[in-house]
Amino acid sequence: DTEVTQTPKHLVMGMTNKKSLKCEQHMGHRAMYWYKQKAKKPPELMFVYSYEKLSINESVPSRFSPECPNSSLLNLHLHALQPEDSALYLCASSQVVGGINTDTQYFGPGTRLTVL
Amino acid sequence: QQQVKQSPQSLIVQKGGISIINCAYENTAFDYFPWYQQFPGKGPALLIAIRPDVSEKKEGRFTISFNKSAKQFSLHIMDSQPGDSATYFCAATRSHSGGSNYKLTFGKGTLLTVNP
């Protein structure tokens, strides 16, 4: 099973709201990723977690706050977002073997976020 | 600087025809080249991937051709079907780069339409 699940599927929020996106995988993968994807564009990497530790932050604004509570879960906390943050937010995971991330990333279906 | 150039931007093919999408990369350290298929409103799904130690890999109707000297790789979809209509992204990465320093570099995507 190569399934990554994400909730909610759709989210509409105001600029003053606080919300969270959730991602879950049960493949035993120890690397998890957040991507942002705008329409007709490729995914853009935001964060990488390896063994529940943040290893890459692609200079993402602090209004996006990731959290990895355990090896199966990844959250993205949202606060004071801007309309330009509206996008499809994708979670992905990959195996880590011998301390090295393997190549194949499996993506979830995404959360369609609209910021009003 | 875009490190993976993908063409064409869009492609229209008749049912039963061959769809060909090309990618070129610059970084000679890249050694893993996956293709992702993405339907509207869904996350990217891994379609097929290749490493530079082989020149071709085939899985069903999908074939990757790889030319290491030219730093190019392409996706061929044989007997294209309307259900293949989607956006296709090529990607490249430097695998086994150590620890959590792992990033996929995506091409800009190709919108494939297969007419019935």
Side-chain angles (χ1 to χ4, degrees), chain A residues 33 35 37 40-43 45 48 50 55-56 58 88 90 99-105 107-109 112, chain B residues 32 36 38 41-44 46 51 89 93-104 106-108 111:
Chain A
Y33 311 77
Y35 287 84
Q37 187 178 28
K40 301 185 189 297
K41 298 289 187 185
L45 184 65
V48 180
S50 184
S55 59
I56 293 180
E58 290 287 289
L88 182 68
L90 295 162
I100 298 173
N101 288 358
T102 59
D103 307 311
T104 303
Q105 292 188 24
F107 285 83
R112 173 70 60 190
Chain B
Y32 178 72
Y36 284 87
Q38 186 174 26
K42 304 293 185 183
L46 180 68
R51 296 188 187 279
F89 292 100
T93 189
R94 179 184 175 186
S95 64
H96 306 300
S97 55
S100 57
N101 295 320
Y102 168 67
K103 292 175 63 173
L104 277 173
F106 285 92
K108 289 192 173 182
L111 178 61

mmCIF file of all heavy atoms in Angstrom, chain A residues 33 35 37 40-43 45 48 50 55-56 58 88 90 99-105 107-109 112, chain B residues 32 36 38 41-44 46 51 89 93-104 106-108 111:
data_model
loop_
_atom_site.group_PDB
_atom_site.id
_atom_site.type_symbol
_atom_site.label_atom_id
_atom_site.label_comp_id
_atom_site.label_asym_id
_atom_site.label_seq_id
_atom_site.Cartn_x
_atom_site.Cartn_y
_atom_site.Cartn_z
ATOM 1 N N TYR A 33 7.254 15.258 3.620
ATOM 2 C CA TYR A 33 7.464 16.519 2.911
ATOM 3 C C TYR A 33 6.156 17.313 2.806
ATOM 4 O O TYR A 33 5.082 16.734 2.670
ATOM 5 C CB TYR A 33 7.935 16.252 1.473
ATOM 6 C CG TYR A 33 9.080 15.273 1.338
ATOM 7 C CD1 TYR A 33 8.877 13.901 1.461
ATOM 8 C CD2 TYR A 33 10.371 15.721 1.052
ATOM 9 C CE1 TYR A 33 9.924 13.002 1.322
ATOM 10 C CE2 TYR A 33 11.419 14.831 0.910
ATOM 11 C CZ TYR A 33 11.185 13.471 1.050
ATOM 12 O OH TYR A 33 12.222 12.586 0.908
ATOM 13 N N TYR A 35 4.642 20.271 0.206
ATOM 14 C CA TYR A 35 4.806 21.017 -1.025
ATOM 15 C C TYR A 35 3.615 21.954 -1.191
ATOM 16 O O TYR A 35 2.509 21.674 -0.742
ATOM 17 C CB TYR A 35 4.807 20.082 -2.251
ATOM 18 C CG TYR A 35 6.042 19.246 -2.451
ATOM 19 C CD1 TYR A 35 6.202 18.027 -1.789
ATOM 20 C CD2 TYR A 35 7.028 19.640 -3.348
ATOM 21 C CE1 TYR A 35 7.315 17.242 -2.003
ATOM 22 C CE2 TYR A 35 8.149 18.855 -3.567
ATOM 23 C CZ TYR A 35 8.284 17.658 -2.896
ATOM 24 O OH TYR A 35 9.405 16.868 -3.114
ATOM 25 N N GLN A 37 1.538 23.822 -4.398
ATOM 26 C CA GLN A 37 1.409 23.788 -5.849
ATOM 27 C C GLN A 37 0.349 24.774 -6.309
ATOM 28 O O GLN A 37 -0.831 24.664 -5.942
ATOM 29 C CB GLN A 37 1.056 22.376 -6.342
ATOM 30 C CG GLN A 37 1.071 22.264 -7.853
ATOM 31 C CD GLN A 37 0.764 20.866 -8.355
ATOM 32 O OE1 GLN A 37 0.071 20.097 -7.708
ATOM 33 N NE2 GLN A 37 1.304 20.532 -9.531
ATOM 34 N N LYS A 40 -1.286 24.975 -12.689
ATOM 35 C CA LYS A 40 -0.456 24.840 -13.885
ATOM 36 C C LYS A 40 1.052 24.974 -13.599
ATOM 37 O O LYS A 40 1.831 25.296 -14.501
ATOM 38 C CB LYS A 40 -0.862 25.863 -14.955
ATOM 39 C CG LYS A 40 -2.324 25.736 -15.395
ATOM 40 C CD LYS A 40 -2.614 26.691 -16.540
ATOM 41 C CE LYS A 40 -4.097 26.766 -16.868
ATOM 42 N NZ LYS A 40 -4.656 25.504 -17.320
ATOM 43 N N LYS A 41 1.450 24.745 -12.353
ATOM 44 C CA LYS A 41 2.862 24.814 -11.972
ATOM 45 C C LYS A 41 3.267 23.505 -11.311
ATOM 46 O O LYS A 41 2.429 22.766 -10.817
ATOM 47 C CB LYS A 41 3.085 25.964 -10.980
ATOM 48 C CG LYS A 41 2.751 27.329 -11.528
ATOM 49 C CD LYS A 41 3.752 27.787 -12.554
ATOM 50 C CE LYS A 41 3.494 29.217 -12.975
ATOM 51 N NZ LYS A 41 4.399 29.633 -14.070
ATOM 52 N N PRO A 42 4.563 23.222 -11.283
ATOM 53 C CA PRO A 42 5.010 22.021 -10.557
ATOM 54 C C PRO A 42 4.966 22.265 -9.049
ATOM 55 O O PRO A 42 4.914 23.413 -8.599
ATOM 56 C CB PRO A 42 6.456 21.847 -11.033
ATOM 57 C CG PRO A 42 6.890 23.204 -11.445
ATOM 58 C CD PRO A 42 5.667 23.896 -11.981
ATOM 59 N N PRO A 43 4.990 21.198 -8.276
ATOM 60 C CA PRO A 43 5.046 21.357 -6.811
ATOM 61 C C PRO A 43 6.333 22.070 -6.388
ATOM 62 O O PRO A 43 7.402 21.844 -6.972
ATOM 63 C CB PRO A 43 5.035 19.912 -6.305
ATOM 64 C CG PRO A 43 4.454 19.108 -7.408
ATOM 65 C CD PRO A 43 4.888 19.781 -8.670
ATOM 66 N N LEU A 45 8.784 22.630 -3.127
ATOM 67 C CA LEU A 45 9.094 22.090 -1.805
ATOM 68 C C LEU A 45 9.040 23.187 -0.747
ATOM 69 O O LEU A 45 9.554 24.293 -0.955
ATOM 70 C CB LEU A 45 10.481 21.459 -1.825
ATOM 71 C CG LEU A 45 10.936 20.771 -0.545
ATOM 72 C CD1 LEU A 45 10.075 19.553 -0.233
ATOM 73 C CD2 LEU A 45 12.410 20.377 -0.641
ATOM 74 N N VAL A 48 11.006 19.566 4.714
ATOM 75 C CA VAL A 48 11.323 18.146 4.752
ATOM 76 C C VAL A 48 11.570 17.745 6.202
ATOM 77 O O VAL A 48 12.311 18.431 6.919
ATOM 78 C CB VAL A 48 12.572 17.790 3.921
ATOM 79 C CG1 VAL A 48 12.855 16.284 4.007
ATOM 80 C CG2 VAL A 48 12.404 18.213 2.474
ATOM 81 N N SER A 50 12.906 14.432 8.482
ATOM 82 C CA SER A 50 13.554 13.132 8.446
ATOM 83 C C SER A 50 13.666 12.636 9.877
ATOM 84 O O SER A 50 14.227 13.352 10.731
ATOM 85 C CB SER A 50 14.928 13.235 7.799
ATOM 86 O OG SER A 50 15.518 11.964 7.681
ATOM 87 N N SER A 55 14.470 19.000 8.607
ATOM 88 C CA SER A 55 15.797 19.040 8.006
ATOM 89 C C SER A 55 15.923 20.069 6.896
ATOM 90 O O SER A 55 17.026 20.525 6.592
ATOM 91 C CB SER A 55 16.173 17.662 7.470
ATOM 92 O OG SER A 55 15.228 17.234 6.508
ATOM 93 N N ILE A 56 14.830 20.404 6.265
ATOM 94 C CA ILE A 56 14.859 21.429 5.222
ATOM 95 C C ILE A 56 13.670 22.365 5.396
ATOM 96 O O ILE A 56 12.540 21.929 5.556
ATOM 97 C CB ILE A 56 14.814 20.817 3.802
ATOM 98 C CG1 ILE A 56 16.100 20.036 3.504
ATOM 99 C CG2 ILE A 56 14.620 21.918 2.748
ATOM 100 C CD1 ILE A 56 16.129 19.404 2.130
ATOM 101 N N GLU A 58 12.516 25.567 3.155
ATOM 102 C CA GLU A 58 12.875 26.308 1.948
ATOM 103 C C GLU A 58 12.497 27.783 2.077
ATOM 104 O O GLU A 58 11.777 28.338 1.230
ATOM 105 C CB GLU A 58 12.180 25.688 0.729
ATOM 106 C CG GLU A 58 12.728 24.334 0.344
ATOM 107 C CD GLU A 58 14.104 24.464 -0.300
ATOM 108 O OE1 GLU A 58 14.208 24.943 -1.439
ATOM 109 O OE2 GLU A 58 15.094 24.076 0.355
ATOM 110 N N LEU A 88 -2.830 24.359 -3.791
ATOM 111 C CA LEU A 88 -2.973 22.961 -3.401
ATOM 112 C C LEU A 88 -1.753 22.603 -2.557
ATOM 113 O O LEU A 88 -0.615 22.765 -2.999
ATOM 114 C CB LEU A 88 -3.037 22.061 -4.642
ATOM 115 C CG LEU A 88 -3.233 20.562 -4.402
ATOM 116 C CD1 LEU A 88 -4.618 20.267 -3.838
ATOM 117 C CD2 LEU A 88 -3.010 19.784 -5.699
ATOM 118 N N LEU A 90 0.399 19.803 -0.827
ATOM 119 C CA LEU A 90 0.648 18.380 -0.989
ATOM 120 C C LEU A 90 1.599 17.879 0.084
ATOM 121 O O LEU A 90 2.584 18.532 0.421
ATOM 122 C CB LEU A 90 1.278 18.109 -2.360
ATOM 123 C CG LEU A 90 0.416 18.418 -3.576
ATOM 124 C CD1 LEU A 90 1.288 18.532 -4.825
ATOM 125 C CD2 LEU A 90 -0.637 17.350 -3.763
ATOM 126 N N GLY A 99 19.848 5.701 6.932
ATOM 127 C CA GLY A 99 20.027 7.126 7.198
ATOM 128 C C GLY A 99 19.940 8.004 5.968
ATOM 129 O O GLY A 99 20.095 9.228 6.053
ATOM 130 N N ILE A 100 19.683 7.403 4.817
ATOM 131 C CA ILE A 100 19.622 8.173 3.571
ATOM 132 C C ILE A 100 18.220 8.100 2.999
ATOM 133 O O ILE A 100 17.653 7.019 2.888
ATOM 134 C CB ILE A 100 20.635 7.626 2.548
ATOM 135 C CG1 ILE A 100 22.068 7.780 3.093
ATOM 136 C CG2 ILE A 100 20.493 8.337 1.214
ATOM 137 C CD1 ILE A 100 23.106 7.115 2.236
ATOM 138 N N ASN A 101 17.667 9.260 2.642
ATOM 139 C CA ASN A 101 16.351 9.260 2.004
ATOM 140 C C ASN A 101 16.427 8.526 0.679
ATOM 141 O O ASN A 101 17.307 8.788 -0.127
ATOM 142 C CB ASN A 101 15.889 10.691 1.727
ATOM 143 C CG ASN A 101 15.509 11.425 2.984
ATOM 144 O OD1 ASN A 101 15.559 10.868 4.066
ATOM 145 N ND2 ASN A 101 15.124 12.668 2.858
ATOM 146 N N THR A 102 15.498 7.618 0.477
ATOM 147 C CA THR A 102 15.443 6.983 -0.842
ATOM 148 C C THR A 102 14.726 7.927 -1.802
ATOM 149 O O THR A 102 14.215 8.970 -1.421
ATOM 150 C CB THR A 102 14.721 5.634 -0.781
ATOM 151 O OG1 THR A 102 13.391 5.843 -0.292
ATOM 152 C CG2 THR A 102 15.447 4.697 0.162
ATOM 153 N N ASP A 103 14.717 7.547 -3.036
ATOM 154 C CA ASP A 103 14.349 8.503 -4.070
ATOM 155 C C ASP A 103 12.857 8.651 -4.280
ATOM 156 O O ASP A 103 12.382 9.712 -4.627
ATOM 157 C CB ASP A 103 14.980 8.061 -5.393
ATOM 158 C CG ASP A 103 16.461 7.840 -5.250
ATOM 159 O OD1 ASP A 103 17.129 8.725 -4.695
ATOM 160 O OD2 ASP A 103 16.939 6.781 -5.685
ATOM 161 N N THR A 104 12.122 7.571 -4.090
ATOM 162 C CA THR A 104 10.728 7.588 -4.516
ATOM 163 C C THR A 104 9.861 8.290 -3.489
ATOM 164 O O THR A 104 9.736 7.843 -2.360
ATOM 165 C CB THR A 104 10.217 6.158 -4.742
ATOM 166 O OG1 THR A 104 11.058 5.522 -5.705
ATOM 167 C CG2 THR A 104 8.783 6.185 -5.252
ATOM 168 N N GLN A 105 9.255 9.384 -3.907
ATOM 169 C CA GLN A 105 8.336 10.117 -3.054
ATOM 170 C C GLN A 105 6.906 9.793 -3.477
ATOM 171 O O GLN A 105 6.577 9.834 -4.660
ATOM 172 C CB GLN A 105 8.564 11.628 -3.159
ATOM 173 C CG GLN A 105 9.892 12.066 -2.576
ATOM 174 C CD GLN A 105 10.040 13.571 -2.512
ATOM 175 O OE1 GLN A 105 9.062 14.315 -2.470
ATOM 176 N NE2 GLN A 105 11.276 14.033 -2.498
ATOM 177 N N PHE A 107 3.019 10.893 -3.097
ATOM 178 C CA PHE A 107 2.249 12.076 -2.772
ATOM 179 C C PHE A 107 0.836 11.728 -2.321
ATOM 180 O O PHE A 107 0.224 10.764 -2.791
ATOM 181 C CB PHE A 107 2.140 12.995 -4.000
ATOM 182 C CG PHE A 107 3.401 13.755 -4.297
ATOM 183 C CD1 PHE A 107 4.432 13.174 -5.016
ATOM 184 C CD2 PHE A 107 3.561 15.066 -3.849
ATOM 185 C CE1 PHE A 107 5.599 13.868 -5.288
ATOM 186 C CE2 PHE A 107 4.721 15.774 -4.126
ATOM 187 C CZ PHE A 107 5.734 15.176 -4.840
ATOM 188 N N GLY A 108 0.314 12.554 -1.437
ATOM 189 C CA GLY A 108 -1.091 12.491 -1.077
ATOM 190 C C GLY A 108 -1.934 13.262 -2.089
ATOM 191 O O GLY A 108 -1.404 13.885 -3.003
ATOM 192 N N PRO A 109 -3.260 13.246 -1.907
ATOM 193 C CA PRO A 109 -4.156 13.922 -2.855
ATOM 194 C C PRO A 109 -4.173 15.436 -2.713
ATOM 195 O O PRO A 109 -4.667 16.136 -3.600
ATOM 196 C CB PRO A 109 -5.529 13.335 -2.510
ATOM 197 C CG PRO A 109 -5.399 12.948 -1.078
ATOM 198 C CD PRO A 109 -3.987 12.510 -0.875
ATOM 199 N N ARG A 112 -6.901 21.496 -0.944
ATOM 200 C CA ARG A 112 -7.108 22.731 -1.718
ATOM 201 C C ARG A 112 -7.443 23.849 -0.742
ATOM 202 O O ARG A 112 -8.491 23.835 -0.127
ATOM 203 C CB ARG A 112 -8.258 22.536 -2.708
ATOM 204 C CG ARG A 112 -8.674 23.794 -3.460
ATOM 205 C CD ARG A 112 -7.637 24.235 -4.456
ATOM 206 N NE ARG A 112 -7.373 23.218 -5.483
ATOM 207 C CZ ARG A 112 -6.376 23.281 -6.345
ATOM 208 N NH1 ARG A 112 -5.539 24.308 -6.318
ATOM 209 N NH2 ARG A 112 -6.204 22.339 -7.244
ATOM 210 N N TYR B 32 18.677 10.122 -10.593
ATOM 211 C CA TYR B 32 17.374 9.445 -10.477
ATOM 212 C C TYR B 32 16.356 10.343 -11.137
ATOM 213 O O TYR B 32 16.286 11.537 -10.846
ATOM 214 C CB TYR B 32 17.030 9.187 -9.009
ATOM 215 C CG TYR B 32 15.695 8.532 -8.796
ATOM 216 C CD1 TYR B 32 15.486 7.196 -9.118
ATOM 217 C CD2 TYR B 32 14.630 9.243 -8.233
ATOM 218 C CE1 TYR B 32 14.259 6.591 -8.914
ATOM 219 C CE2 TYR B 32 13.399 8.642 -8.018
ATOM 220 C CZ TYR B 32 13.222 7.323 -8.363
ATOM 221 O OH TYR B 32 12.011 6.709 -8.154
ATOM 222 N N TYR B 36 6.012 11.877 -13.031
ATOM 223 C CA TYR B 36 4.777 11.887 -12.270
ATOM 224 C C TYR B 36 3.612 12.258 -13.184
ATOM 225 O O TYR B 36 3.741 13.086 -14.084
ATOM 226 C CB TYR B 36 4.854 12.881 -11.108
ATOM 227 C CG TYR B 36 5.688 12.396 -9.938
ATOM 228 C CD1 TYR B 36 7.070 12.610 -9.885
ATOM 229 C CD2 TYR B 36 5.094 11.712 -8.880
ATOM 230 C CE1 TYR B 36 7.821 12.164 -8.814
ATOM 231 C CE2 TYR B 36 5.848 11.269 -7.801
ATOM 232 C CZ TYR B 36 7.201 11.495 -7.783
ATOM 233 O OH TYR B 36 7.947 11.058 -6.714
ATOM 234 N N GLN B 38 -0.333 13.668 -13.055
ATOM 235 C CA GLN B 38 -1.241 14.359 -12.147
ATOM 236 C C GLN B 38 -2.545 14.688 -12.848
ATOM 237 O O GLN B 38 -2.544 15.377 -13.877
ATOM 238 C CB GLN B 38 -0.602 15.638 -11.597
ATOM 239 C CG GLN B 38 -1.448 16.317 -10.527
ATOM 240 C CD GLN B 38 -0.751 17.502 -9.877
ATOM 241 O OE1 GLN B 38 0.118 18.126 -10.474
ATOM 242 N NE2 GLN B 38 -1.144 17.825 -8.655
ATOM 243 N N GLY B 41 -6.928 18.338 -9.635
ATOM 244 C CA GLY B 41 -7.406 18.235 -8.261
ATOM 245 C C GLY B 41 -6.824 17.087 -7.474
ATOM 246 O O GLY B 41 -7.231 16.842 -6.329
ATOM 247 N N LYS B 42 -5.870 16.362 -8.047
ATOM 248 C CA LYS B 42 -5.255 15.215 -7.371
ATOM 249 C C LYS B 42 -3.771 15.461 -7.169
ATOM 250 O O LYS B 42 -3.177 16.346 -7.785
ATOM 251 C CB LYS B 42 -5.436 13.929 -8.199
ATOM 252 C CG LYS B 42 -6.876 13.604 -8.542
ATOM 253 C CD LYS B 42 -7.676 13.254 -7.317
ATOM 254 C CE LYS B 42 -9.084 12.822 -7.689
ATOM 255 N NZ LYS B 42 -9.915 12.543 -6.476
ATOM 256 N N GLY B 43 -3.161 14.650 -6.309
ATOM 257 C CA GLY B 43 -1.724 14.747 -6.126
ATOM 258 C C GLY B 43 -0.983 14.008 -7.229
ATOM 259 O O GLY B 43 -1.539 13.138 -7.890
ATOM 260 N N PRO B 44 0.277 14.359 -7.447
ATOM 261 C CA PRO B 44 1.076 13.646 -8.458
ATOM 262 C C PRO B 44 1.253 12.185 -8.065
ATOM 263 O O PRO B 44 1.477 11.873 -6.891
ATOM 264 C CB PRO B 44 2.423 14.378 -8.430
ATOM 265 C CG PRO B 44 2.150 15.676 -7.751
ATOM 266 C CD PRO B 44 1.028 15.426 -6.793
ATOM 267 N N LEU B 46 3.491 8.699 -8.932
ATOM 268 C CA LEU B 46 4.678 8.194 -9.618
ATOM 269 C C LEU B 46 4.267 7.237 -10.727
ATOM 270 O O LEU B 46 3.528 6.286 -10.509
ATOM 271 C CB LEU B 46 5.594 7.475 -8.624
ATOM 272 C CG LEU B 46 6.866 6.895 -9.223
ATOM 273 C CD1 LEU B 46 7.799 8.017 -9.661
ATOM 274 C CD2 LEU B 46 7.578 5.992 -8.214
ATOM 275 N N ARG B 51 17.195 5.180 -13.712
ATOM 276 C CA ARG B 51 18.524 5.606 -13.283
ATOM 277 C C ARG B 51 19.436 5.589 -14.502
ATOM 278 O O ARG B 51 19.194 4.849 -15.447
ATOM 279 C CB ARG B 51 19.066 4.674 -12.196
ATOM 280 C CG ARG B 51 18.246 4.727 -10.930
ATOM 281 C CD ARG B 51 18.906 3.960 -9.808
ATOM 282 N NE ARG B 51 18.012 3.895 -8.652
ATOM 283 C CZ ARG B 51 17.874 4.882 -7.780
ATOM 284 N NH1 ARG B 51 18.555 5.996 -7.917
ATOM 285 N NH2 ARG B 51 17.055 4.764 -6.765
ATOM 286 N N PHE B 89 4.801 15.505 -15.190
ATOM 287 C CA PHE B 89 5.986 16.213 -14.719
ATOM 288 C C PHE B 89 7.176 15.259 -14.744
ATOM 289 O O PHE B 89 7.104 14.153 -14.200
ATOM 290 C CB PHE B 89 5.807 16.702 -13.279
ATOM 291 C CG PHE B 89 4.792 17.785 -13.104
ATOM 292 C CD1 PHE B 89 3.511 17.494 -12.645
ATOM 293 C CD2 PHE B 89 5.114 19.112 -13.381
ATOM 294 C CE1 PHE B 89 2.561 18.503 -12.476
ATOM 295 C CE2 PHE B 89 4.182 20.118 -13.217
ATOM 296 C CZ PHE B 89 2.907 19.815 -12.762
ATOM 297 N N THR B 93 16.748 14.106 -9.369
ATOM 298 C CA THR B 93 17.331 14.310 -8.053
ATOM 299 C C THR B 93 18.693 13.646 -7.972
ATOM 300 O O THR B 93 19.032 12.790 -8.785
ATOM 301 C CB THR B 93 16.413 13.769 -6.949
ATOM 302 O OG1 THR B 93 16.921 14.177 -5.678
ATOM 303 C CG2 THR B 93 16.342 12.248 -6.970
ATOM 304 N N ARG B 94 19.427 14.089 -6.999
ATOM 305 C CA ARG B 94 20.703 13.463 -6.707
ATOM 306 C C ARG B 94 20.442 12.529 -5.542
ATOM 307 O O ARG B 94 20.272 12.982 -4.414
ATOM 308 C CB ARG B 94 21.724 14.534 -6.335
ATOM 309 C CG ARG B 94 23.092 14.004 -5.988
ATOM 310 C CD ARG B 94 23.991 15.131 -5.549
ATOM 311 N NE ARG B 94 25.270 14.639 -5.092
ATOM 312 C CZ ARG B 94 26.205 15.406 -4.543
ATOM 313 N NH1 ARG B 94 26.004 16.692 -4.402
ATOM 314 N NH2 ARG B 94 27.340 14.880 -4.148
ATOM 315 N N SER B 95 20.372 11.283 -5.806
ATOM 316 C CA SER B 95 20.034 10.335 -4.760
ATOM 317 C C SER B 95 21.238 10.076 -3.881
ATOM 318 O O SER B 95 22.377 10.361 -4.248
ATOM 319 C CB SER B 95 19.553 9.014 -5.369
ATOM 320 O OG SER B 95 20.596 8.401 -6.093
ATOM 321 N N HIS B 96 20.929 9.531 -2.725
ATOM 322 C CA HIS B 96 21.974 9.192 -1.759
ATOM 323 C C HIS B 96 22.877 10.374 -1.480
ATOM 324 O O HIS B 96 24.074 10.232 -1.307
ATOM 325 C CB HIS B 96 22.805 8.004 -2.247
ATOM 326 C CG HIS B 96 21.950 6.827 -2.580
ATOM 327 N ND1 HIS B 96 21.151 6.213 -1.659
ATOM 328 C CD2 HIS B 96 21.741 6.189 -3.743
ATOM 329 C CE1 HIS B 96 20.500 5.222 -2.252
ATOM 330 N NE2 HIS B 96 20.827 5.182 -3.510
ATOM 331 N N SER B 97 22.234 11.563 -1.457
ATOM 332 C CA SER B 97 23.062 12.737 -1.227
ATOM 333 C C SER B 97 23.354 12.930 0.246
ATOM 334 O O SER B 97 23.963 13.880 0.645
ATOM 335 C CB SER B 97 22.381 13.984 -1.799
ATOM 336 O OG SER B 97 21.077 14.121 -1.267
ATOM 337 N N GLY B 98 22.862 12.020 1.024
ATOM 338 C CA GLY B 98 23.244 12.064 2.426
ATOM 339 C C GLY B 98 22.163 12.651 3.303
ATOM 340 O O GLY B 98 21.622 13.698 3.008
ATOM 341 N N GLY B 99 21.868 11.972 4.374
ATOM 342 C CA GLY B 99 20.945 12.492 5.369
ATOM 343 C C GLY B 99 19.625 12.904 4.771
ATOM 344 O O GLY B 99 19.013 12.176 4.010
ATOM 345 N N SER B 100 19.192 14.076 5.093
ATOM 346 C CA SER B 100 17.889 14.532 4.639
ATOM 347 C C SER B 100 18.004 15.552 3.515
ATOM 348 O O SER B 100 17.050 16.209 3.172
ATOM 349 C CB SER B 100 17.134 15.126 5.818
ATOM 350 O OG SER B 100 17.888 16.172 6.381
ATOM 351 N N ASN B 101 19.180 15.712 2.947
ATOM 352 C CA ASN B 101 19.343 16.692 1.870
ATOM 353 C C ASN B 101 18.880 16.086 0.560
ATOM 354 O O ASN B 101 19.664 15.689 -0.283
ATOM 355 C CB ASN B 101 20.805 17.112 1.764
ATOM 356 C CG ASN B 101 21.239 17.835 3.008
ATOM 357 O OD1 ASN B 101 20.489 18.628 3.558
ATOM 358 N ND2 ASN B 101 22.429 17.543 3.469
ATOM 359 N N TYR B 102 17.578 16.020 0.419
ATOM 360 C CA TYR B 102 17.000 15.328 -0.727
ATOM 361 C C TYR B 102 15.919 16.200 -1.314
ATOM 362 O O TYR B 102 14.958 16.536 -0.647
ATOM 363 C CB TYR B 102 16.416 13.997 -0.264
ATOM 364 C CG TYR B 102 15.561 13.330 -1.277
ATOM 365 C CD1 TYR B 102 16.110 12.851 -2.448
ATOM 366 C CD2 TYR B 102 14.201 13.192 -1.074
ATOM 367 C CE1 TYR B 102 15.311 12.231 -3.389
ATOM 368 C CE2 TYR B 102 13.398 12.584 -2.020
ATOM 369 C CZ TYR B 102 13.962 12.092 -3.179
ATOM 370 O OH TYR B 102 13.180 11.488 -4.109
ATOM 371 N N LYS B 103 16.057 16.600 -2.558
ATOM 372 C CA LYS B 103 15.064 17.445 -3.209
ATOM 373 C C LYS B 103 14.801 16.936 -4.609
ATOM 374 O O LYS B 103 15.714 16.576 -5.337
ATOM 375 C CB LYS B 103 15.583 18.886 -3.293
ATOM 376 C CG LYS B 103 15.694 19.587 -1.963
ATOM 377 C CD LYS B 103 16.328 20.953 -2.131
ATOM 378 C CE LYS B 103 15.503 21.863 -2.991
ATOM 379 N NZ LYS B 103 16.048 23.239 -3.014
ATOM 380 N N LEU B 104 13.538 16.946 -4.979
ATOM 381 C CA LEU B 104 13.152 16.682 -6.356
ATOM 382 C C LEU B 104 13.128 17.995 -7.114
ATOM 383 O O LEU B 104 12.528 18.951 -6.652
ATOM 384 C CB LEU B 104 11.752 16.069 -6.413
ATOM 385 C CG LEU B 104 11.593 14.570 -6.204
ATOM 386 C CD1 LEU B 104 10.112 14.220 -6.127
ATOM 387 C CD2 LEU B 104 12.271 13.791 -7.310
ATOM 388 N N PHE B 106 11.650 19.567 -10.342
ATOM 389 C CA PHE B 106 10.609 19.260 -11.319
ATOM 390 C C PHE B 106 10.780 20.074 -12.595
ATOM 391 O O PHE B 106 11.229 21.231 -12.569
ATOM 392 C CB PHE B 106 9.227 19.580 -10.746
ATOM 393 C CG PHE B 106 8.728 18.595 -9.723
ATOM 394 C CD1 PHE B 106 8.962 18.797 -8.370
ATOM 395 C CD2 PHE B 106 8.010 17.476 -10.112
ATOM 396 C CE1 PHE B 106 8.489 17.902 -7.424
ATOM 397 C CE2 PHE B 106 7.536 16.581 -9.173
ATOM 398 C CZ PHE B 106 7.776 16.798 -7.829
ATOM 399 N N GLY B 107 10.361 19.476 -13.720
ATOM 400 C CA GLY B 107 10.130 20.257 -14.921
ATOM 401 C C GLY B 107 8.829 21.031 -14.763
ATOM 402 O O GLY B 107 8.092 20.840 -13.794
ATOM 403 N N LYS B 108 8.529 21.886 -15.727
ATOM 404 C CA LYS B 108 7.358 22.750 -15.601
ATOM 405 C C LYS B 108 6.052 22.040 -15.931
ATOM 406 O O LYS B 108 4.983 22.592 -15.691
ATOM 407 C CB LYS B 108 7.521 23.992 -16.477
ATOM 408 C CG LYS B 108 8.565 24.953 -15.953
ATOM 409 C CD LYS B 108 8.501 26.301 -16.661
ATOM 410 C CE LYS B 108 9.436 27.285 -15.985
ATOM 411 N NZ LYS B 108 9.371 28.632 -16.605
ATOM 412 N N LEU B 111 0.832 19.366 -20.312
ATOM 413 C CA LEU B 111 -0.585 19.008 -20.300
ATOM 414 C C LEU B 111 -0.889 18.166 -21.536
ATOM 415 O O LEU B 111 -0.827 18.661 -22.660
ATOM 416 C CB LEU B 111 -1.454 20.263 -20.281
ATOM 417 C CG LEU B 111 -2.965 20.025 -20.316
ATOM 418 C CD1 LEU B 111 -3.413 19.233 -19.100
ATOM 419 C CD2 LEU B 111 -3.713 21.345 -20.400
#
